[in-house]
Amino acid sequence: MSVRVARALGPWGWGAGGRRGASGFRPPPPGAVDVAELLRDATTAEEGAPRQPAARRPPGQCSVLLFPGQGSQELGMGRGLLRYPRVRELYAAARRVLGYDLLELSLRGPQAALDRTAHCQPAVFVASLAAVEKLQHLQPAAIENCVAAAGFSVGEFAALVFAGAMEFSEGRRVHRCV
């Protein structure tokens, strides 16, 4: 809770969910690890040990991937990516999760249907990951030397899938909820 919010609530001690004096979090189960204590112990242990400088790569040997968000969709997107390995598999997996042919919609439209949030978010997500497949094929060093991935809007999910923090099918299901 920010200081401003805490001050606005005053001394009444409102907890999560608007319940006075109550926390919205359940108590930890018996035998649970105290993460704060682990972090304190780790910090204390590091203070006494000499630090080794991290090996740094020259900027020319690093890459960062930035994934686009909603609004970057256009009719025909993905057409030039179909010849690369696994791209058709991505679209087939999207079809199984979504229940409609995303590739057909992306290639042939209609544009009004592609522009709907329920369709454009999956289309941008899958096309972004398909573009990674092209990059892997044409410039594998860019993938191997990637030090960060980020995304705008729905592109955040593509970045998470690329980084291995989320499975492709999980990313698809998240978009259905948005």
Side-chain angles (χ1 to χ4, degrees):
M1 179 182 314
S2 74
V3 174
R4 271 191 234 164
V5 172
R7 285 185 185 147
L9 291 176
W12 300 287
W14 290 97
R19 294 184 314 263
R20 186 176 174 166
S23 170
F25 298 107
R26 294 182 187 144
V33 176
D34 183 0
V35 176
E37 186 177 321
L38 286 175
L39 290 173
R40 277 193 303 276
D41 292 345
T43 305
T44 305
E46 288 177 4
E47 289 174 358
R51 291 187 180 211
Q52 297 293 329
R56 296 181 67 87
R57 290 189 229 168
Q61 294 178 359
C62 299
S63 60
V64 174
L65 297 184
L66 180 60
F67 294 91
Q70 184 173 344
S72 61
Q73 73 276 0
E74 70 177 55
L75 209 53
M77 68 182 193
R79 185 180 319 277
L81 303 172
L82 294 174
R83 64 178 172 226
Y84 295 99
R86 298 192 55 229
V87 170
R88 288 190 186 273
E89 292 174 35
L90 287 171
Y91 280 100
R95 183 181 192 156
R96 286 190 301 274
V97 172
L98 296 168
Y100 63 88
D101 191 348
L102 182 63
L103 179 58
E104 180 69 22
L105 179 62
S106 296
L107 295 178
R108 293 179 184 79
Q111 183 70 48
L114 183 61
D115 287 341
R116 281 191 229 128
T117 299
H119 296 140
C120 73
Q121 287 187 347
V124 170
F125 173 77
V126 174
S128 296
L129 294 174
V132 169
E133 290 296 321
K134 177 181 178 179
L135 184 61
Q136 174 67 39
H137 184 74
L138 297 178
Q139 296 179 359
I143 301 294
E144 294 163 10
N145 296 325
C146 185
V147 295
F152 176 73
S153 179
V154 73
E156 294 175 37
F157 295 105
L160 288 168
V161 170
F162 169 76
M166 178 185 284
E167 293 293 322
F168 176 80
S169 59
E170 291 174 309
R172 289 295 345 103
R173 287 186 189 104
V174 169
H175 296 236
R176 295 182 82 176
C177 299
V178 176

